[in-house]
Amino acid sequence: MIFHSALKLAQAVRKREISAEEVINYFLRQIEVKEAGIKAFITVCADQALEQAQALDRRTDLPGLPLAGVPVAIKDNIVTKGIKTTCASRILANFYPPYDATVIKRLKEAGAVIIGKTNLDEFAMGSSTENSAFYPTRNPWNLECVPGGSSGGSAAAVAAGEAPLALGSDTGGSVRQPAAFCGLVGLKPTYGRVSRYGLIAFASSLDQIGPLARSVEDCALLTRVISGHDQHDSTSSPRSVPDYLAELSQPLENIKVGIISGDLLKDVNPEVKEAFYFTVKQLEEEGAQIEELHFSSWAIGLPCYYIIAPSEASSNLARYDGVRYGYRDLSEKQLLSMYQTTRTEGFGAEVKRRIILGTFALSAGYYEAYYGQASKARLLINQEFRQALDKVDFILTPATPEPAFSFGAKADPIAMYLSDIFTVTANLAGVPALTLPVRCSAKGLPIGIQLISDFFQESELFRLAFLVEKKVEFIKEYNKIN
Amino acid sequence: MPEKIDIDYVCSLAALRLSEEEKKELAPQLQRIVEWIAQISSLNLTGIKDKELSTVSLATPLRKDVVQGSLSPEEALANAPEKENELFKVPRVIEGGDSQE
């Protein structure tokens, strides 16, 4: 079990009860055994990881490293110097970044070992990892089901025990939804809490890198390491970063939790609804005051998101023109045809759908009706969050409308988009949100809940999640799959 | 009711060239998505002013104006599909004149 807690693992490595090399070898063996069934990784960096671990073992300052010897799996849209970074796209299939993302730099400084790069929906566009240009990833709880997405590889790797921790990115729920599908704790930090430098851009006003872990403690530990201001990202906040792990033991008093009203739950799977009200009961037992909130703007979050995110994506993805890096169709002899053929061959169907949608929403004659109106709707959502969080400390929702679904179940794009109905609003508003597994469905699939708090209140979010985690003891469910 | 999306025109703006087969599959999907997102047009948002549109108010922190390292030409060109003499190579942009090839 020690191998599944990053916290205990780092403690053991710091005390030299175990070497970083032994740790990485254990996880590389897990990958060897499990990867054929799961397919969580695009690249396993066995040689680099082993070298990194051996270098750590030679260091004399191990006691100062919060993640000493802890392997971390990285979503393959976060750049790693000299390690192939593909975004699960043909257009970046052979891209070797010349620099490390800020989060990677911080992980290495904290003593973490980069174990591999994980699968995702191409350019983080999707909710099942079926949009990967390479292969889908399978859910460790049931190989017939998707792991969620877009950070499906990161979630599956941690749930399967191939790595104790992982990083994903969350633009509309891409950390939280796969965390819920795979029985993990996942956080979308406050916009600006974590540097986006080196995160391959999808929708810059919504994107945020976030941690995936098996426990709230591990999630808090990793969040502290990756957070903080970075001069390479001017949207990163200069606020100081609390010691989230140390603050977990501070009690929360007079907790007020707002729950979303019943009308927003009418299309939710009955077992998810049960898990949601079960959590409400746990919170009440802990003395929390529960209040139902009426969010008139919640339901417009998804259509609003599907205007803003593709609009930003259509602009961000204009850089893939076959000139400086990435795939190029070498047969084209004329510049514009080269751009068109390169992009048409390089991007998959969902990425093309979103580029076309975003280009349309920004085009002359439609800009005001779509992008302009969506920007105003986003402000309305933001105002409603501010009003709600003046009244209550936290907002509780289900994480997803249903547990993990089967491969191919959401062939209709809009049906797939609806997977993120509970998660997109936090990205639009910029507030932090965490998902936490609370129980399993009758079919043995994890069900998660989502907790949202005010800007930069990650510490409070972790403390409430810690309280719920201790009551529901979801970790015991892992005995069923390990 | 939203207008019909002109997929050829939008693709030309986005530098994409879809096959007839792709168009057949994507056009009805996109039309449905556009109809679905158009529900936001029914919202009354007239009270919201453009200048309020930034949802997160962040000051821009500035760094010291000191020269910092950057990528070497070799590093910057390492991923280029085609390069020549420390430059990115692209197909001819200007028509006519003597070809160098």
Side-chain angles (χ1 to χ4, degrees), chain A residues 95-96 229 231 300 322-326 328 332 340-341 343-344 352-353 356 370 373-374 376 379 412, chain B residues 2 10 14-15 17 22 26 29 32 34 40 43 45 48 50 52 61 63 68 79-82 88-89 91:
Chain A
F95 175 58
Y96 286 83
H229 178 63
Q231 64 174 17
I300 58 158
V323 174
R324 288 150 301 161
Y325 46 79
R328 174 194 289 193
E332 291 286 356
Q340 290 173 333
T341 314
R343 291 164 60 79
T344 304
K352 285 180 204 165
R353 265 197 292 272
I356 295 170
Y370 290 96
Q373 185 79 352
K376 288 180 182 171
L379 191 72
D412 171 38
Chain B
V10 178
R17 183 166 43 201
E22 275 182 299
L26 279 177
Q29 286 176 347
R32 280 192 52 232
V34 168
I40 72 150
L43 295 170
L45 299 168
I48 292 172
D50 281 356
E52 295 170 343
R63 68 163 174 85
Q68 295 180 337
N79 283 286
E82 279 192 278
F88 295 106
K89 193 176 176 188

Side-chain angles (χ1 to χ4, degrees), chain A residues 397-445:
Chain A
T397 78
T400 56
E402 59 186 333
F405 45 85
S406 313
F407 289 94
K410 310 269 180 202
D412 171 38
I414 296 177
M416 186 70 89
Y417 299 169
L418 288 168
S419 305
D420 291 334
I421 184 140
F422 294 117
T423 48
V424 291
T425 44
N427 299 80
L428 291 166
V431 292
L434 174 148
T435 56
L436 177 80
V438 290
R439 52 160 66 171
C440 273
S441 71
K443 287 185 179 157
L445 290 166

Side-chain angles (χ1 to χ4, degrees), chain A residues 459-476:
Chain A
S459 182
E460 287 78 359
L461 213 47
F462 285 133
R463 277 143 69 189
L464 186 67
F466 196 45
L467 199 99
V468 177
E469 183 184 58
K470 277 192 280 194
K471 292 210 70 170
V472 301
E473 295 191 300
F474 181 86
I475 200 80
K476 286 181 181 165

Side-chain angles (χ1 to χ4, degrees), chain A residues 88-258:
Chain A
S89 179
R90 277 189 299 275
I91 213 154
L92 285 177
N94 287 306
F95 175 58
Y96 286 83
Y99 70 103
D100 271 333
T102 297
V103 290
I104 300 298
K105 199 172 140 258
R106 290 191 174 154
L107 282 176
K108 288 180 179 171
E109 284 165 4
V113 176
I114 308 305
I115 192 167
K117 306 296 297 284
T118 57
N119 201 14
L120 62 149
D121 288 294
E122 184 178 0
F123 280 98
M125 296 176 186
S127 308
S128 69
T129 317
E130 290 168 294
N131 292 337
S132 165
F134 306 128
Y135 38 77
T137 295
R138 294 175 184 279
N139 190 316
W141 295 80
N142 182 337
L143 298 180
E144 305 297 309
C145 290
V146 303
S150 65
S151 312
S154 288
V158 177
E162 294 177 307
L165 291 175
L167 288 185
S169 65
D170 192 315
T171 306
S174 279
V175 163
R176 290 162 287 157
Q177 185 257 19
F181 277 14
C182 292
L184 303 173
V185 182
L187 173 76
K188 197 276 306 172
T190 306
Y191 185 78
R193 181 71 295 183
V194 178
S195 167
R196 289 180 294 112
Y197 183 65
L199 169 65
I200 296 176
F202 162 11
S204 310
S205 79
L206 302 162
D207 294 341
Q208 198 61 194
I209 293 170
L212 294 112
R214 283 199 183 193
S215 69
V216 175
E217 283 183 323
D218 280 1
C219 194
L221 175 68
L222 180 54
T223 305
R224 188 190 183 196
V225 168
I226 61 170
S227 295
H229 178 63
D230 172 21
Q231 64 174 17
H232 294 300
D233 174 5
S234 62
T235 64
S236 68
S237 170
R239 272 176 187 249
S240 64
V241 180
D243 186 342
Y244 300 120
L245 189 63
E247 289 186 5
L248 277 185
S249 55
Q250 290 178 16
L252 283 166
E253 277 161 20
N254 307 319
I255 316 164
K256 278 190 210 152
V257 180

Side-chain angles (χ1 to χ4, degrees), chain B:
Chain B
M1 197 59 191
E3 287 174 65
K4 203 165 157 50
I5 179 167
D6 181 346
I7 196 162
D8 289 319
Y9 171 65
V10 178
C11 280
S12 75
L13 294 176
L16 290 170
R17 183 166 43 201
L18 302 186
S19 65
E20 287 307 313
E21 218 170 281
E22 275 182 299
K23 264 187 248 175
K24 245 191 213 161
E25 199 196 327
L26 279 177
Q29 286 176 347
L30 284 163
Q31 191 61 38
R32 280 192 52 232
I33 297 169
V34 168
E35 283 166 23
W36 176 67
I37 60 176
Q39 57 180 289
I40 72 150
S41 62
S42 62
L43 295 170
N44 181 4
L45 299 168
T46 45
I48 292 172
K49 304 273 184 298
D50 281 356
K51 64 175 179 348
E52 295 170 343
L53 287 183
S54 166
T55 52
V56 185
S57 58
L58 288 166
T60 303
L62 300 174
R63 68 163 174 85
K64 287 217 171 71
D65 188 15
V66 178
V67 177
Q68 295 180 337
S70 57
L71 295 180
S72 67
E74 293 74 30
E75 287 171 314
L77 286 159
N79 283 286
E82 279 192 278
K83 59 194 157 189
E84 205 173 287
N85 303 330
E86 290 204 345
L87 296 165
F88 295 106
K89 193 176 176 188
V90 292
R92 175 174 289 278
V93 180
I94 301 161
E95 297 298 325
D98 290 332
S99 172
Q100 295 293 308
E101 293 192 309

